[in-house]
């Protein structure tokens, strides 16, 4: 395997990790008003991802950085064509991160409700747009002979891309519901299990339809297997949610995300961004990559740094592995205002 192909695989792995980890974050955020009926319950729902959501987003940063360094032409052309969609995603992620931090700053009901809406919107928008974006990458976009994007915003919207957005939306909702069932107890856990029962069938249908369409468009022998694994894992997750342990069901939705993402990247290879104008204008693993020297330096850096990053994130999840619920949360106390120095002196 040459270094360009190796880094294409590495980027696929990074996106897979991002969708697996950030997928349940998005699901938890979207399900916040559904599963949290009281302020204490909504605080519990948010607390399940409070210690890990920002670390999960590191996978997105690393995936973007790796794409920029290993495939600069792919990065430049993709960001030129997807600029509006990526800007919307960025704003949504920023709003979501701010909402997590600001929601608990006041006891005011309206203040908390507004930031909770921001969490929902900041989770919903990326969950849909990432599916649309990756569907467009697999389907192809208008790229001219200079490898520049030659279309407009309307060229990024098709029935296939919309189905891709619905696929990631439902998949992340199911993943998040099962994560909440795994991480909570009490009424929130009961509602999470019920939500997964309702979301499961829709997820299976939408994801199966999207992967079948992908198979017709850019599929092969290997993608038949990965797509079948994804659908079978979703069916298994839905069944286990009804009769089995939460951990096994959550693991299967994670397997579905891994298999579905693998289907997209395997179907895409050796292209990284196909051209709908002329296949000869497509960006491929080799004509869009950096020099061999650059890829060599990146490879050594990844070998040294990646194990440290993975070990740190594994430790983080181990620290926050305990189930939580409303009954566990201590009552929140307002900070006692400090007395002026003069008043303290007089008291003495």
């Amino acid at each position: 395997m040459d270094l360009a192909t190796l880094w294409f695989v590495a980027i696929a792995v990074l996106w897979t990790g991002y969708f697996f980890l950030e997928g349940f974050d998005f699901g938890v955020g979207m399900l916040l008003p559904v599963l949290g009926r009281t302020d204490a319950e909504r605080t519990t729902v948010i607390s399940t991802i409070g210690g890990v959501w920002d670390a999960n987003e590191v996978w997105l940063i690393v995936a973007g950085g790796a794409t920029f360094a290993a495939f600069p032409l792919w990065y430049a052309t993709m960001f030129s064509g997807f600029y509006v969609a990526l800007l919307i995603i960025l704003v949504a992620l920023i709003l979501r991160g701010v909402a997590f931090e600001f929601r608990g700053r006041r006891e005011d009901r309206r203040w908390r409700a507004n930031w909770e809406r921001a969490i929902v919107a900041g989770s919903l928008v990326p969950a849909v747009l990432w599916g649309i974006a990756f569907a467009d990458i697999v389907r192809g976009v208008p790229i001219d002979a200079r490898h520049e994007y030659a279309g407009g915003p309307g060229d990024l919207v098709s029935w296939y891309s919309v189905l891709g957005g619905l696929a990631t939306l439902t998949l992340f909702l199911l993943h998040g519901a099962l994560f909440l069932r795994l991480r909570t107890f009490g009424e929130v856990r009961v509602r999470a299990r019920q939500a997964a029962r309702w979301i499961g069938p829709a997820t299976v249908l939408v994801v199966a339809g999207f992967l079948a369409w992908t198979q017709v468009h850019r599929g092969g022998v290997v993608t038949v297997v990965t797509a079948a694994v994804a659908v079978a894992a979703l069916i298994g997750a839905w069944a286990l949610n009804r009769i089995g342990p939460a951990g096994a069901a959550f693991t299967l939705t994670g397997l579905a995300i891994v298999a579905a993402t693998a289907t997209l990247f395997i179907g895409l290879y050796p292209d990284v961004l196909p051209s709908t104008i002329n296949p000869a204008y497509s960006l491929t693993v080799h004509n869009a990559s950096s020099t061999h020297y650059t890829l060599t330096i990146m490879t050594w850096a990844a070998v040294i740094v990646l194990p440290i990053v993975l070990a740190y994130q594994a430790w983080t999840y181990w620290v926050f592995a305990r189930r939580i619920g409303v009954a566990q949360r201590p009552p929140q106390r307002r900070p006692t205002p400090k007395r002026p120095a003069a008043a303290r002196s007089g008291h003495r």
Side-chain angles (χ1 to χ4, degrees):
M1 182 184 296
D2 60 273
L3 288 180
T5 301
L6 176 63
W7 273 100
F8 177 81
V9 174
I11 289 170
V13 171
L14 289 170
W15 278 109
T16 302
Y18 173 69
F19 288 145
F20 180 95
L21 297 173
E22 194 78 319
F24 65 73
D25 281 359
F26 290 148
V28 169
M30 290 185 286
L31 291 170
L32 176 62
V34 178
L35 304 185
R37 305 289 174 81
T38 66
D39 182 75
E41 288 178 347
R42 289 189 292 273
T43 301
T44 298
V45 170
I46 294 173
S47 297
T48 60
I49 59 174
V52 298
W53 70 265
D54 47 355
N56 293 342
E57 290 190 349
V58 172
W59 288 76
L60 172 62
I61 298 171
V62 177
T67 304
F68 173 78
F71 300 98
L73 192 56
W74 181 16
Y75 183 93
T77 305
M78 182 172 60
F79 269 73
S80 297
F82 294 53
Y83 181 80
V84 175
L86 294 176
L87 179 61
I88 294 173
I89 291 175
L90 179 61
V91 172
L93 292 177
I94 293 174
L95 180 65
R96 177 170 166 265
V98 171
F100 282 134
E101 300 296 333
F102 277 38
R103 175 187 175 272
R105 297 294 180 178
R106 292 185 187 176
E107 296 297 328
D108 181 68
R109 182 179 299 178
R110 180 177 296 179
W111 171 273
R112 285 176 171 253
N114 288 334
W115 287 118
E116 287 166 3
R117 294 187 188 99
I119 292 173
V120 175
S123 302
L124 174 64
V125 171
V128 174
L129 290 185
W130 280 132
I132 293 175
F134 271 85
D136 284 325
I137 291 173
V138 173
R139 179 179 65 95
V141 294
I143 300 175
D144 60 22
R146 296 178 298 175
H147 297 308
E148 295 180 358
Y149 183 75
D155 294 306
L156 301 179
V157 180
S158 65
W159 288 113
Y160 175 70
S161 63
V162 170
L163 186 60
L166 292 176
T168 51
L169 172 64
T170 55
L171 185 54
F172 293 164
L173 279 170
L174 180 61
H175 199 42
L178 292 175
F179 177 78
L180 285 172
R181 185 193 164 197
L182 181 65
R183 287 294 317 281
T184 61
F185 62 84
E187 288 298 320
V188 174
R189 187 168 188 257
V190 172
R191 295 189 197 115
R193 185 173 189 176
Q194 293 173 344
R197 288 180 180 178
W198 288 100
I199 299 168
T203 305
V204 172
L205 291 175
V206 174
V207 173
F210 175 67
L211 293 179
W213 198 337
T214 302
Q215 181 66 27
V216 172
H217 185 59
R218 292 189 66 94
V221 177
V222 178
T223 54
V224 170
V225 177
T226 55
V229 169
V231 175
L234 287 176
I235 296 173
W238 177 69
L240 282 178
N241 178 62
R242 298 176 64 89
I243 62 174
F250 176 75
T251 300
L252 284 180
T253 56
L255 175 60
I257 291 175
V258 171
T261 308
T263 302
L264 298 181
F265 276 94
I266 293 172
L268 182 62
Y269 185 83
D271 292 335
V272 293
L273 196 59
S275 173
T276 56
I277 296 176
N278 188 334
Y281 302 158
S282 298
L283 296 178
T284 68
V285 167
H286 295 98
N287 69 16
S289 68
S290 295
T291 63
H292 180 79
Y293 179 71
T294 300
L295 295 178
T296 301
I297 294 176
M298 290 177 59
T299 302
W300 281 109
V303 169
I304 296 171
V305 176
L306 186 59
I308 300 174
V309 174
L310 293 177
Y312 170 75
Q313 189 155 34
W315 176 79
T316 302
Y317 273 91
W318 179 78
V319 169
F320 293 101
R322 186 171 53 125
R323 281 186 178 177
I324 61 175
V326 175
Q328 275 186 305
R329 300 190 58 80
Q332 296 182 349
R333 297 179 180 177
R334 297 181 180 179
T336 303
K338 294 183 179 179
R339 298 174 61 191
R344 291 198 301 268
S345 300
H347 179 70
R348 291 176 188 156

